[in-house]
Amino acid sequence: MTAVPTSGAAADPRRRRPAIGLIAGLVILGLSLLTAFLPGLVAPHDPLSFDYKAILHGPSLVHPFGTDNFGRDMLSRVIWAYRIDMQIAVFTTLFPILFGTMVGALVGFYDGIAAQIFGRIVDAVITFPFIVLVIAIVAVLGPGLGNMYIAVGMVGWVFYARLIAAEMRVQMRLDYAAAGRVLGYGDVRIIVRHLLPNAIGPVLVYWMTDMALSILLGSALGYLGLGARPPAAEWGVLIADGKNFMTTAWWMTIFPGVAIVLTGLGFSLLGDAVAELLRPRR
Amino acid sequence: MLSLRDLLNRMLQIIPTLIMIMAAVFIIVRLLPGDPASAILGDRGSAEDVARINTQLGLDQPIPVQFLYFVDRVLHGDLGTSITLGVPVAQLILERLPVTLLLTAMAALLAVVAAIPLAFLAAIRRGRGVDLTIGAFFQVGLSMPVFYTGIVFLTIFGAGLRWFPIGGYGDGLGEHLYHLFLPALTLAFSLSAVLMRNLRASIIDVLNADYVDFARSKGLAPRLVLLRHVLRNALVSTVTLFGLSVGTLVGGAVITETVFAVPGVGRLMIESIYGRDYPVVQGLAMTLAVVVSLVFLLVDIVQAMLDPRVSR
Amino acid sequence: MSAVPGMTPPLLSVRDLVTEVATARGPMRAVDQVSFDLADGEILGLVGESGSGKTVTLRSILRLVAPPARVAGTILWRGRNLVALPERELRAIRGREIAAVFQEPMTALNPVLTIGLQIEENLQAHTMLTARERRRRAIELLDIVGIPAAASRLDGYPHQFSGGMRQRAMIAIAIASNPRLLLADEPTTALDVTIQDQILKLILTLRQQLGMSVIFVTHDLGVVAETCDRVAVMYAGRIIETGSVATVFAGPRHPYTAGLLASVPRTGGERRPLQSIPGTPPPLSQRSGDCAFAPRCAFATDHCRQRQPTLSAVAPDHAAACWHPEALTTAPPRTAAIAPPPRAPSRPTATTPLFEVAGLVKGFPVRRSALARLLGKPQRVVHALNGPHFVLGRGETLGIVGESGCGKSTLAQCLVRLIEADAGTIRYDGIDIRTLRGAARRGFNRRVQMIFQDPYGSLNPRMTVRQILGEALHVHHMRPAAAIPDRITALLDLVRLPADAADRYPHAFSGGQRQRIGIARALAVEPECLIADELVSALDVSVQAQVVNLLLDLQNQLGLSVLFVAHDLRLVRHISHRVAVMYLGEIVEIAPTEALFAAPRHPYTQALLSAVPDIDHSRRTLRIAVRGELPSPLAPPPGCPFHPRCAQAIDRCRRERPALTARGGDRLFACHLAPPQDGAAAAPRP
Amino acid sequence: MKRIIKASILAALFASASSTAMAVERGGILHYGRYADSIFLDPVFADSNVDIWILTNLYDTLLLPTDDGKGVRPGLASAWQLSPDSKTVTLTLRDGLFFSDGSPITAEDVKWSLDRARKPGNGLWGPDVESIDTITIADPKTIVLALKHPDPAILASLTVYNTAVVPEKILEALPGANDEEKAKVFSRHPVVSGPFMLDSWSRGTVMKLVANPHYWQKGSDGKPLPYLDGIDFEIIPDDATRILKLQAGELDGAELIPFPRVAELQADPKLDLKLFPSTRTSYITVSVRPQLSVGSPNPLSNDKVRQALNFAVDKDALVQIVTHGIGTPTSSFLSSATALHVGKGAVFPFDLAKAKTLLTEAGYPNGFATSIFVLAGSQDENTIAAALQQMWAAIGVKLDIQQVDNATRVAHYNKGDFSMRVGFWTDDTPDPSEAASYMAYYPHIQSLHTGWKNDEVDRLFTQSQSEIDPVARAAEYAQIQKIYNATAPLIFLYETPYAVALRKPVKGFNQIPLGINIFVGVSLEK
């Protein structure tokens, strides 16, 4: 009947904030992606070329972010790192989101033994510290970004699958799913055409967070020497490289740090905005 | 509240999880390229030395056979002996685990202590300057790599202001707590950010709940409404998230322990993976899984205390 | 009982109340220039459809609208203006002098605190009682509101209470400090009729015992008729008509009130077609200086569309906000001029059985814990269906009624195989459908369609109406691809939606329109039989009538058979040829509609009918229709499932389950008490 | 031979005189930051630098290395005598030697310790004393070693930790099926002969040593050494953290200061940054096998290719980038601090033109692609590889940097399944034979697993192992180095000192070229 909660639902004044967040997030990530695709256009120098005469120079007009211990231009390295880190963000999460969504959809839809087994896998994965698992797998496969993608892929899909399975179960309680079955639609049609588009929301929101977390994971692995291969610039590696120069050449760590935080902010803002946009409308 | 039966039930559910982790870790460590002998001998070992040591360790047997031996020993309460350190794994874990537990517990406590009041403040003043400032501060916490935060904290609070010792663990509980404060703060930074965001959102949700209006309709003081009616309900979902974050916390400890020279299991884990110290890796994995499972159980209990609907 | 206004100053006097709440589209005036008085001891009914502002009005009195809402005007409570009162002083009034009861006890009670604490904190805030005294008083209060074994329930949590018990507990909290005024916001909407009956009577009793005044917000005119002294009808944030219940209901002067009264189905009297009000209530944000009802009003003139009418007296103690209050008394009602009301259904002549259901059993196993499995604890089962038998004839409408948990929805879902029954037979057109597979099953799916309760959930929000309808046509190859657009237009026309609706998404439609889209989707595959599960229960009354009338129309037009599952007996009466009453997974009585409503034979049917509030009844008697609550379907009582609540139960009822037997003509019921021949049964109401 | 001995004694005297010129403060605990904890405190079974670099502070040897790491001086043995045929060594034990539990150190203990050290299968270092045939106790103060063949390195070997003296009775009484198991038990609470004894050890955090009250050596003040009451070895794996802790005064000293930080710490008035001469060399090991593991021909098997790669390395630039000017280009595969080293200036001076010519002659005018293993997380190795990648790009050689962890690398290494890898070498014994046997002598470990085999070098090495004429031995070593360096199974890089940062009050610390930390003479000034 007239079950409209009159108290608060209509009375949240913040509903206009996401627009600002959305724009800010899109601008940050848009520029990041642009930089990632065309670092050569933005970077003033070759990120790899040494300049023995300009080792550890502080920020200047020629080198706005200073130079590193090889005399490489930090600005250019931070810029080229966008290519790798954005790649980390996307590639690390690509398989998990695709495979996880698929498994989650099937498990959520069919339930039964498979769901039981899946439940145990979820338990095992969330019970075991994720980064240790990834480190172990990367150690098996050998360091490098490609192997990091594989390592994360092997366990990361579980989180997506868990999310989507839960959301599928919520959606399946809604009548439109039942309507599809009463209309004699096949399972594939009901899953793909009806349930998934409605269940995918939380996954997209999580995806944004996960991309930011992936950059952090890539950085942590870079710090441990298991991530991006030198001499390629990656923010975590840049920070790790600059670690010994924290007191003498602060610019080596600050700028990559700012880039990580800024990109994280972009994903976070976009995630919030997506969550807001996907909030069910009535 | 959870009944004893519920508790037994949860504990039963842990068993298959542990078996899976045990098997997975057993296989993963044996898939690692290289072997304990290579790790021990380093560059100067000859092929014969390597073979001899591996035979001594029983690593020349088929993996399923090794697994059966391992399971048998674990069932008899024997986790084996560290290959590199020559110390019983159980003893190593007993030495190192309390450190990590203390570290993560402190981090968790700090995170909660920071997150709850700030989440309240942000939720009540939502959309205003305070809210945005808190949000921005924690955004930094969310996107800073742990090792970077650690180095920054060390430089500022340790070397710069001399408030805290730089790394290490110290002697006695007081010293331990003092030494672990900065690493715990480092770990807490990102966790509190996650908790704060979640709690802020659920407080806003709860503030809109009917029962809050109903409580206000009784003429209760605002403070009472916030503490008794809002906080407890808002904490329910945050406690779940907190439980799920424990794994991440232990993971973060791996790096934090390295930066801060804290002799915990995180560092031991990495060293053992590098050192191909199979028994230690296996023992640690089991222990961590048990610990995390117990934390989940604890979270379940807390949740049942907060929310009577949880127990059936 | 009711005080005569004007003699003593009113207890509460609301003048020009305006409440604005903030929304995404800017401030919205939820309550607009509302004025009314409440005398000591009086029950005022505040009625209106969803979004009419009745709840916000109620909450504005205690300033419980979420900030940053703005409340303006004056609310004089015993000489003090609540609008301007400092928060601290207002707190002393809240709960102490004015208490509130909300609609949904599950969400209004804090789920994590014990009932006892939630009562005691009221006492703690307003009395000087010690902890021990507070506890004693809390037990006493639970006792007053009729919660059995009160002392032992004090430490229970809301989720351990049933819906009715929760509502009683909430009332106990509200009356803890003996308030002078009870604000009751739809206190029975979420409850089953028999429980609603109990709660309404509880409120009336309490009013009598404690001398409270009550403002009763409801959308149910029947409830108003049976409980209230005076009524104020709200529409789009304003009171458009007010007066004593008897006067207003007998001679409404505002077309909206008249339309509302006409669209409500009755339990008694001659079955008339339901009348509906065309259109839907306006959104509050799009308001201008006209009469808000003008677009839906058959009497509207240009004047109405330009000037906003104010509430003015049309008779003593009767006021209406209408430019043409005399129109209703002079002109015949033309409220449903757009669609002539369909004929009341009559029994179809041909009665070949379409659905034959026999001995259907369905149990839902309760998840067992690992420990329970290990210990070999027996599997517990929720017994949803315990073997109902019935036949649905071709072209017939069979109504299935019953309270929540009686298994009626499970039954509906078994019929279309959304749920697989455990045992029993379902024959459709002579074929056992429980074993159908593949193409045969799809063929059956095409012939029998279901329409659903939730207007928000039953349509995929990510598909346009065209996609939704097109998909059904495409999957079943109903039309060649080229003909699909035309067919979609035709389907929309069939459910009286404009063609341009096709390219919009579900959220662009109102609840009623969505239900029509749902019907169109079902009709797309040209079925012979429709199963409607609580089709209109989520809709406002005026819209309910539109959808019901549409369904009846389509049935006549297309010769459909309909199984109409609902909890609303009044509605079922208006639609069905025959009615089956379900209780705890069984059909306890099945009979032609007229016969059933005229003379119900099963004690449960009798109780159910007497519990339904009806506009035609002026005052509710204090005799409670049925005691207690529905037993748990986990452990249905032995013998007759109704015997624990049946006043007439005899020993045999406790031992032996009565079978559904024919007792003359088309009438079957399952009761040991009734004589085998079709005698004159007691009338449902004394 | 005698001259050598005399020279050693003189050197020893000089060294001890120089370190004890001033009056010394006694007492205090030294807090020393290490990058990793020790693993196994047994002199025979320990095998990694984290153990062997500190073991001699716990266990004394019969002879001690001189401060320059090239000679020997008296230890537990106050004198030694080499027979004219060089086949017998006679050692005289000092008077008044005690273990840390107060029991006397006897000739039986010495014999038992040496027997334990040379038993085949006991640890990695047995081959050092494989030349010993029998050990006899002539009298309670005299031990006679009969050699199977003349061994020019025998005295040097007696300074190495594995020959340190341990208490026979205590070890024998411990549970355990074999020496290694007994050693494991022993090493947890060892009874020692050195200046310090283990007080407590929480693995991974801190290892506490306290002064051995029964130690024989006397300080400059005539009282027993050590000066310190004890040492706390604190484990701080992260370089930056270790330095921060030192700067904050929480540590008195820190090892393995990264070269980028050296200049900064040198400028710190509170600190004393030491660059101790070392035998540490950095190089790239190259697999010279004709085929790669995948079966394709290995360009690196061509001598000219390796020479070209060597010529193409700008050593000065590398020294600048990686060591911040602290290192020097290596002049031979033996470090300049190693005895019998010959060479001056870089083995292959930077010469791009020559490199290109050589590469063209070898048939790779446009270069080729190859790969290098670097230790994951090692900044030094990564920096070296990144620099080489740039430098070799100039001659068309594309270098693929592959980060791996140590165990992986070793596994590949042992199988010969690699192209190049970054490597470091430090001598453990004060004799060139160790370095030569591992790096140049094929039968041992295939010349550092490079697969490089030169019959002439193998012959010269074998001959030098029993060559007692120092001049002839020096000539043999000169020839070995000449052949080895010219054919270049390595890419020669640079050698670096040990960078240790101490707080100013810390005096008398020494890290000898072999890497061994000597705390016996350390004092803390007030």
Side-chain angles (χ1 to χ4, degrees), chain D residues 18 52 132 221 271 280 310 326 341 345 369 440 472 478:
Chain D
S18 67
I52 61 189
I132 300 175
D221 53 3
L271 298 182
R280 190 178 205 267
N310 264 303
I326 289 157
H341 157 269

Side-chain angles (χ1 to χ4, degrees), chain C residues 450-662:
Chain C
M450 186 155 175
I451 35 188
F452 296 87
Q453 169 178 11
D454 179 7
Y456 301 101
S458 62
L459 301 175
N460 184 341
R462 308 249 175 253
M463 290 169 87
T464 62
V465 172
R466 181 181 302 284
Q467 287 169 323
I468 290 171
L469 298 180
E471 182 178 40
L473 293 169
H474 167 79
V475 168
H476 284 280
H477 311 290
M478 300 305 299
R479 293 285 186 281
I484 284 180
D486 284 348
R487 177 60 182 158
I488 289 173
T489 313
L491 280 169
L492 288 174
D493 190 48
L494 204 57
V495 297
R496 297 182 196 132
L497 284 173
D500 64 4
D503 293 309
R504 284 188 272 160
Y505 285 91
H507 65 76
F509 297 93
S510 70
Q513 289 169 322
R514 283 184 227 199
Q515 289 305 65
R516 293 172 196 222
I517 297 168
I519 295 172
R521 175 178 58 192
L523 293 180
V525 296
E526 294 163 29
E528 306 156 345
C529 176
L530 282 182
I531 296 180
D533 186 5
E534 299 277 11
L535 178 63
V536 294
S537 60
L539 303 178
D540 276 321
V541 210
S542 65
V543 181
Q544 227 173 32
Q546 294 171 6
V547 176
V548 164
N549 287 342
L550 172 69
L551 187 70
L552 290 175
D553 214 24
L554 289 169
Q555 185 185 18
N556 286 337
Q557 210 175 322
L558 305 171
L560 294 166
S561 312
V562 176
L563 190 77
F564 194 87
V565 176
H567 67 278
D568 187 337
L569 285 109
R570 297 172 295 191
L571 200 60
V572 167
R573 174 173 181 254
H574 277 266
I575 290 172
S576 314
H577 299 117
R578 286 191 306 143
V579 174
V581 179
M582 282 189 79
Y583 187 78
L584 269 188
E586 297 176 33
I587 289 175
V588 294
E589 180 160 8
I590 182 165
T593 310
E594 311 283 1
L596 187 100
F597 279 82
R601 297 298 302 277
H602 194 281
Y604 177 64
T605 316
Q606 292 167 2
L608 206 55
L609 279 174
S610 74
V612 175
D614 199 290
I615 299 173
D616 299 338
H617 296 273
S618 55
R619 178 61 69 178
R620 176 151 292 249
T621 58
L622 288 176
R623 191 187 67 83
I624 286 172
V626 59
R627 276 172 191 79
E629 307 207 348
L630 196 71
S632 166
L634 271 170
C640 172
F642 187 62
H643 85 256
R645 303 172 74 189
C646 182
Q648 308 157 53
I650 55 169
D651 210 34
R652 188 179 170 202
C653 303
R654 284 180 262 279
R655 284 179 284 114
E656 199 184 315
R657 187 169 143 179
L660 188 65
T661 29

Side-chain angles (χ1 to χ4, degrees), chain B residues 5 8-9 12-13 210-211 213-214 216-222 228-229 232-233 306-309 312, chain C residues 59 63-64 91 94-95 100 102 107-113 118 121 126 157 159 170 173 369-371 374:
Chain B
R5 214 183 48 217
L8 275 172
N9 237 321
L12 270 180
Q13 287 169 350
D210 245 8
Y211 55 76
D213 282 344
F214 186 57
R216 289 172 61 213
S217 84
K218 292 185 211 171
L220 300 185
R228 188 182 283 166
H229 291 270
R232 205 167 145 183
N233 280 288
L306 284 175
D307 185 353
R309 289 168 297 182
R312 280 157 290 134
Chain C
R59 294 195 177 205
R63 295 219 311 256
L64 285 178
R91 275 213 304 280
R94 283 184 191 150
F102 289 176
T107 61
L109 290 175
N110 191 328
V112 305
L113 302 178
Q118 296 189 56
E121 67 179 1
H126 300 297
Y157 290 94
H159 72 278
M170 184 144 72
I173 295 169
S369 64
L371 189 71
L374 212 66

